[in-house]
Amino acid sequence: MATDRRQFIASGSIAMLAAGIAAGATTKAGTTTAADAAASRLLEGFGEELLADYPENATALGVDKGVRVALKASLTDRTAAGQARIAQRARARLAALDALDVAALSEGLRTDVDVLRTAYGFATEGFRFPYGDVAVLNLNWSWRNAPYVVAQNTGAFLEIPSLLTEQHTIGTRDDADAYLSRLEAYAGQIDGETERLAHDAAQGVIAPDFLLEKTLAQLRIAQAGDVTAWPIVASLATRAQALGGDYAKQGEAIAKSRIAPALARQLRQLETQRRKATDDAGVWKLPHGEEYYAWCLIAGTTTRLTPEEIHERGMEELRELQSRMDVILRSRGMTQGSVGERMSTLGKDPRYQYANTDADRARLMALLQASVDKMRPALPRAFATLVRGHLEIKRMPPEVEPGAPGAYGGAGTIDGKIPGKFWINLHDMSVWRNYGMPTLVYHESIPGHVWQGEYTFGLPLYRSLLAFNAYSEGWALYAEQLADELGMYDDDPLARLGYLQSIAFRACRLVVDTGLHARRWTREQAIQWFASTNGSSVAEVAGEVDRYCAWPGQACGYKIGHSEINRLRAQTREALGSRYDLRRFDDIVVKAGGVPMVTLARIVQAQRRAARPPAAVSSAGSDTRRRSL
């Protein structure tokens, strides 16, 4: 009976479900014209279709219930055929968006169309390359377009266990049956990616040997031991224990008969590729590698900046930031050597380090929580509209940590049942310094990613499903800046130094990412330049460099987005004079939701004009510089 019910939950046409929901949908803001009504129906239909393409997003947002309950039993089709169908649908939706008469729409809908058209445009360009993974349209993993289908930080074997154990809720037998359906689908995802790995390898698309070494180590951990101890099985057994139905045994059976063999097949494929791999780090080595990297940069920054322009911007911004760091270091008597050398010396001081012990891990976690607690009372000084900031700070699962980034965060579900998460990697405590932890938590949680993500819940669902790397990461860096401006470091100059080093770190990323993929730097060259220039440890930047090799262009979105937000703020302050209000500006930016940076500029410009007195609006008509945002 459990299997029958599970099949029923997963059955039916999700496309028909999407059409049915869209047919009766209305926008949150309502519609005023026939053109708006027609466009709203089209966009909301696209939102439901996006959920059908990427069902994990319905779970991440907490909307996998009611008429969308079938999505809770489904996962993305990661086979080559499944990805081809997603690509075809992206092209069709882009054509439909291009056919709209945008001039006939209200301002809000014009923005929505612009956002969707940009996202589908990026995705369609990416799908033209016959390899890798295009994740532009997938909210859960939109930041990590990747040339390699599976790597140390990309692939179902890493991403789906986290979804199942952390986001898939189990309160009823239907929920548990849906979990079992997803376990079965997970095995298919692994095999689908293994098929695509073989296809790409035949074209010469093989990850660098140092990435494959990490990936193989993680896969071996993932398939090691008794399946009853695997997190995806143990989580189901614990949470479904009171429901009856023998779910633990059913989960074990799927893991043994389907998931374990699929993991073994993927392991063998990657072992084969490891024997053929080289240590060439950049995507310049791939078929049409220069064109591929250009697309990665466009998708990652939502600009048309060239690799050379980004490289030079990184060097310029780094000089400015390090001049500010120099002042603090000199005030502490540290005057000899470059800023990077002095930061390296500071980082070696045992007073600021953590040991690989449970006690020090607990000490670090306590500092993160204390920093969030300190920030909350200050938020009304930066925002006129406040959200809940529903947050949980958690350590990453140890089996994921070796290949994972240092930290990441994001909002929880729309209904608030699952809090936003700030995940911290505590595998190697030597990479962390206590003076750098406050700015990290502000970036990932409040007022960074978790905070910003909650504002998107007020947008139409189709907008909540889309994210743009430059906006979201640019906002998170801006959140670090707000923390400084709100006085979080007034009594702690070292923490301010940690904040400036964090921003400089992102300027270094512009240099290193373009160095690897456009200037053909080696991995070792990138690591040594990064560590010596920013004063970071080799252990910390080695993992960073590996990340850039697997996600080209993504790391450039941070500083590019941050600089653009500050450019818009400076222009707004200059234009409005005494009428300028930081809280209003921050509200405009954070409530815009995920948008390309050019769209954000248009939104800020429109709001700025609305805030001016009539005479100012009239006189601004001849100001070409201000018009050309």
Side-chain angles (χ1 to χ4, degrees):
M1 286 296 292
T3 301
D4 291 341
R5 185 166 60 253
R6 192 163 75 245
Q7 290 171 344
F8 173 76
I9 292 170
S11 69
S13 168
I14 292 181
M16 290 177 62
L17 167 67
I21 294 173
T26 58
T27 61
K28 291 186 178 183
T31 58
T32 57
T33 67
D36 275 9
S40 294
R41 287 193 296 270
L42 180 71
L43 300 189
E44 286 166 339
F46 286 178
E48 299 302 330
E49 290 167 6
L50 270 175
L51 288 173
D53 286 343
Y54 304 105
E56 299 91 341
N57 292 335
T59 296
L61 292 173
V63 297
D64 55 353
K65 59 191 69 172
V67 292
R68 299 190 187 98
V69 70
L71 298 172
K72 192 163 187 173
S74 305
L75 296 175
T76 301
D77 188 343
R78 299 195 187 208
T79 65
Q83 292 296 293
R85 286 189 289 271
I86 289 175
Q88 190 279 327
R89 288 193 286 271
R91 290 191 294 270
R93 292 171 200 155
L94 179 61
L97 290 165
D98 286 340
L100 285 174
D101 180 7
V102 179
L105 302 179
S106 61
E107 179 66 28
L109 275 167
R110 284 201 297 272
T111 296
D112 291 350
V113 170
D114 187 23
V115 170
L116 268 70
R117 189 156 51 190
T118 302
Y120 280 113
F122 287 165
T124 298
E125 288 182 35
F127 279 123
R128 292 202 331 263
F129 296 95
Y131 54 80
D133 197 40
V134 177
V136 172
L137 299 175
N138 189 336
L139 175 68
N140 265 10
W141 303 295
S142 60
W143 63 86
R144 59 102 181 116
N145 300 296
Y148 314 114
V149 176
V150 177
Q152 87 284 4
N153 53 8
T154 301
F157 87 97
L158 291 170
E159 294 161 347
I160 299 307
S162 176
L163 172 93
L164 290 173
T165 59
E166 294 293 333
Q167 296 180 318
H168 185 113
T169 58
I170 298 178
T172 68
R173 293 188 66 184
D174 284 346
D175 294 338
D177 288 332
Y179 190 106
L180 291 174
S181 293
R182 279 183 159 170
L183 283 181
E184 292 173 344
Y186 171 42
Q189 284 191 320
I190 297 167
D191 279 334
E193 288 183 336
T194 301
E195 170 196 359
R196 290 163 62 200
L197 279 168
H199 168 273
D200 293 357
Q203 304 177 68
V205 179
I206 295 175
D209 52 11
F210 52 88
L211 295 190
L212 288 173
E213 288 287 351
K214 281 189 171 183
T215 310
L216 286 166
Q218 290 168 278
L219 262 173
R220 290 177 182 124
I221 292 173
Q223 67 167 6
D226 190 334
V227 298
T228 59
W230 287 6
I232 54 174
V233 176
S235 177
L236 173 65
T238 300
R239 293 189 288 154
Q241 187 173 10
L243 299 177
D246 216 7
Y247 287 105
K249 287 189 177 180
Q250 291 184 69
E252 291 170 22
I254 294 170
K256 286 179 181 178
S257 64
R258 298 205 57 196
I259 298 173
L263 288 170
R265 288 187 288 270
Q266 188 161 103
L267 184 65
R268 288 194 295 272
Q269 173 60 222
L270 289 172
E271 286 173 338
T272 298
Q273 294 193 12
R274 172 63 185 87
R275 291 191 287 271
K276 301 175 182 177
T278 70
D279 63 357
D280 291 330
V283 295
W284 54 263
K285 67 180 182 180
L286 304 180
H288 307 289
E290 289 184 6
E291 296 90 336
Y292 179 76
Y293 184 51
W295 171 76
C296 289
L297 283 178
I298 290 169
T301 68
T302 62
T303 72
R304 294 283 172 177
L305 292 171
T306 67
E308 190 62 28
E309 288 170 331
I310 290 175
H311 193 92
E312 291 305 317
R313 179 177 290 193
M315 295 295 291
E316 179 184 344
E317 297 206 13
L318 183 62
R319 285 190 288 271
E320 190 276 330
L321 287 161
Q322 290 196 335
S323 69
R324 296 169 62 188
M325 296 168 69
D326 178 62
V327 173
I328 299 175
L329 288 167
R330 287 181 179 278
S331 72
R332 299 184 62 82
M334 301 181 72
T335 61
Q336 300 301 310
S338 69
V339 169
E341 289 169 341
R342 282 176 279 167
M343 289 301 298
S344 179
T345 298
L346 188 72
K348 293 174 183 176
D349 190 322
R351 290 176 295 174
Y352 311 127
Q353 295 178 340
Y354 292 98
N356 280 310
T357 64
D358 289 344
D360 267 19
R361 289 186 174 94
R363 185 162 63 93
L364 184 150
M365 295 291 280
L367 174 59
L368 296 177
Q369 187 61 56
S371 299
V372 171
D373 294 342
K374 183 178 181 181
M375 169 60 71
R376 287 189 185 274
L379 292 169
R381 291 192 279 124
F383 303 91
T385 304
L386 300 174
V387 290
R388 179 181 178 186
H390 193 23
L391 171 67
E392 185 177 15
I393 302 174
K394 296 193 70 172
R395 178 186 178 178
M396 293 180 195
E399 66 273 13
V400 170
E401 287 179 328
Y408 58 90
T413 56
I414 290 175
D415 61 12
K417 291 183 178 179
I418 295 180
K421 298 287 200 304
F422 167 36
W423 292 102
I424 181 77
N425 189 331
L426 302 184
H427 174 71
D428 180 5
M429 295 291 287
S430 70
V431 306
W432 301 121
R433 300 294 179 269
N434 57 21
Y435 53 78
M437 303 317 297
T439 200
L440 176 66
V441 77
Y442 298 141
H443 179 109
E444 300 294 353
S445 64
I446 298 171
H449 286 312
V450 171
W451 185 253
Q452 181 270 319
E454 287 190 22
Y455 286 88
T456 67
F457 297 160
L459 297 170
L461 182 61
Y462 56 80
R463 287 287 311 281
S464 296
L465 290 169
L466 296 173
F468 293 88
N469 181 60
Y471 171 85
S472 59
E473 297 299 352
W475 173 266
L477 279 193
Y478 180 67
E480 294 187 51
Q481 176 183 322
L482 283 177
D484 184 33
E485 293 170 344
L486 290 170
M488 296 299 106
Y489 312 129
D490 286 356
D491 58 352
D492 191 351
L494 267 185
R496 177 172 284 120
L497 188 63
Y499 148 66
L500 290 171
Q501 186 182 33
S502 170
I503 303 296
F505 191 92
R506 275 48 177 231
C508 287
R509 282 176 168 173
L510 301 181
V511 178
V512 174
D513 196 275
T514 52
L516 287 164
H517 298 296
R519 296 193 172 196
R520 304 193 177 194
W521 286 12
T522 65
R523 176 179 185 261
E524 186 60 28
Q525 182 181 358
I527 290 171
Q528 291 305 319
W529 182 90
F530 204 154
S532 61
T533 302
N534 199 51
S536 304
S537 68
V538 169
E540 179 183 8
V541 300
E544 282 286 317
V545 168
D546 290 350
R547 167 184 165 184
Y548 311 156
C549 294
W551 297 345
Q554 187 269 345
C556 295
Y558 294 70
K559 196 68 189 71
I560 297 297
H562 174 236
S563 296
E564 177 64 4
I565 292 172
N566 274 309
R567 184 181 76 87
L568 294 172
R569 190 171 88 165
Q571 287 186 333
T572 301
R573 184 170 52 240
E574 178 187 352
L576 297 183
S578 62
R579 298 171 64 87
Y580 171 75
D581 182 345
L582 173 66
R583 298 182 307 154
R584 177 170 169 75
F585 175 83
D586 290 347
D587 270 19
I588 291 169
V589 177
V590 78
K591 292 166 74 173
V595 292
M597 299 315 292
V598 67
T599 305
L600 180 65
R602 286 196 287 269
I603 292 170
V604 172
Q605 182 184 47
Q607 295 289 332
R608 188 167 68 223
R609 285 177 173 164
R612 291 178 185 167
V617 174
S618 175
S619 64
S622 61
D623 187 341
T624 303
R625 178 178 58 81
R626 287 176 185 163
R627 285 207 316 271
S628 59
L629 281 176

